[in-house]
Amino acid sequence: MKTAEYVVADPEVMFGKPVIRGTRITVELILEKLAAGETVEQIVAAHPRLTQAAVSAALAFAAESMKAEVAHPLRHAG
């Protein structure tokens, strides 16, 4: 899947955060909703301009972003 078909970043839209093309729906929002337990179907129903393919592209974009050479330290509970 070519994420660039769905995910774009424009400094004029949502402060340059990656969004689904043609919307103001951020990849971050999609990830937060999935992490909170929403299904793809629920997210698409709540945001009619989204498609299942767009949500999949957001996930692929996030996964690819995590491959960057940047360390993401985790905080230990306790």
Side-chain angles (χ1 to χ4, degrees), residues 7-52:
V7 180
V8 296
D10 178 345
E12 302 287 323
V13 178
M14 300 301 290
F15 305 105
K17 289 185 174 189
V19 299
I20 301 302
R21 183 182 300 279
T23 76
R24 297 177 64 80
I25 302 168
T26 62
V27 170
E28 177 182 6
L29 176 67
I30 292 169
L31 294 175
E32 287 174 346
K33 287 178 172 279
L34 289 168
E38 289 189 41
T39 66
V40 172
E41 292 77 15
Q42 289 171 321
I43 295 169
V44 170
H47 303 278
R49 296 187 66 195
L50 284 183
T51 63
Q52 288 190 355

Side-chain angles (χ1 to χ4, degrees), residues 61-70 72:
F61 175 84
E64 191 62 33
S65 295
M66 293 303 297
K67 293 178 184 177
E69 294 183 22
V70 176
H72 298 278

